[in-house]
Amino acid sequence: MYRLLFILLLSFSFTQEPCEGTCFSEEEVVNITNNIKELQFDVEKYKEIEGNLNLQIKDYIKNDSLNISLINDYKKQLEFKEEMIDLVKPKWYDNKYLWFFGGMIITSGSVYLAGQIKWVI
């Protein structure tokens, strides 16, 4: 009975099996766990950053399509403006030289006629 009790006590006192392969100390295990936690945090952060970048890309694509439609609208507006310029040509009486020389002739004629008046006193 004593032998059995002695063997039982010895088996509980030496329960740790010898390490096969690589064994880590407590400090190394703590460092590994801290590194794993840090890497998990980095992965979550990078996933959040990737989600934000994807949203920015979608917004950029939407803004780009809006800009393209605005550019097309401006091109059509320029085409309409050129058509309007071609349609609305100045008339013969919108000539600035005509108005200038016409004004000179009328003014000189008025001055000439005023000089022809004889003043009777």
Side-chain angles (χ1 to χ4, degrees):
M1 176 81 110
Y2 290 112
R3 285 185 187 171
L4 189 57
L5 186 60
F6 181 72
I7 292 174
L8 187 63
L9 285 175
L10 283 177
S11 68
F12 283 120
S13 63
F14 299 109
T15 56
Q16 184 179 5
E17 296 179 11
C19 182
E20 294 179 11
T22 307
C23 298
F24 297 109
S25 66
E26 288 293 322
E27 183 181 327
E28 290 174 336
V29 169
V30 168
N31 286 339
I32 289 172
T33 3
N34 288 338
N35 286 340
I36 289 173
K37 287 179 183 178
E38 184 178 329
L39 290 174
Q40 286 175 343
F41 176 75
D42 287 345
V43 165
E44 290 174 5
K45 184 171 61 172
Y46 290 139
K47 284 182 180 179
E48 183 179 338
I49 289 172
E50 181 185 7
N52 287 338
L53 289 175
N54 286 336
L55 288 175
Q56 288 178 359
I57 288 172
K58 288 178 185 176
D59 288 343
Y60 172 76
I61 290 171
K62 184 189 298 181
N63 285 339
D64 189 46
S65 64
L66 289 175
N67 289 339
I68 288 173
S69 66
L70 280 175
I71 289 172
N72 290 335
D73 290 343
Y74 287 141
K75 286 181 181 178
K76 286 182 182 178
Q77 188 177 9
L78 283 174
E79 289 173 6
F80 291 145
K81 182 179 178 184
E82 289 174 1
E83 287 178 15
M84 289 299 292
I85 288 174
D86 290 339
L87 289 176
V88 181
K89 296 210 180 215
K91 305 293 181 194
W92 64 270
Y93 50 83
D94 287 334
N95 191 341
K96 62 182 177 181
Y97 299 111
L98 176 71
W99 286 104
F100 176 73
F101 290 116
M104 278 181 48
I105 291 170
I106 291 174
T107 306
S108 359
S110 300
V111 169
Y112 176 74
L113 289 175
Q116 295 296 320
I117 299 177
K118 301 237 183 210
W119 294 95
V120 179
I121 299 184

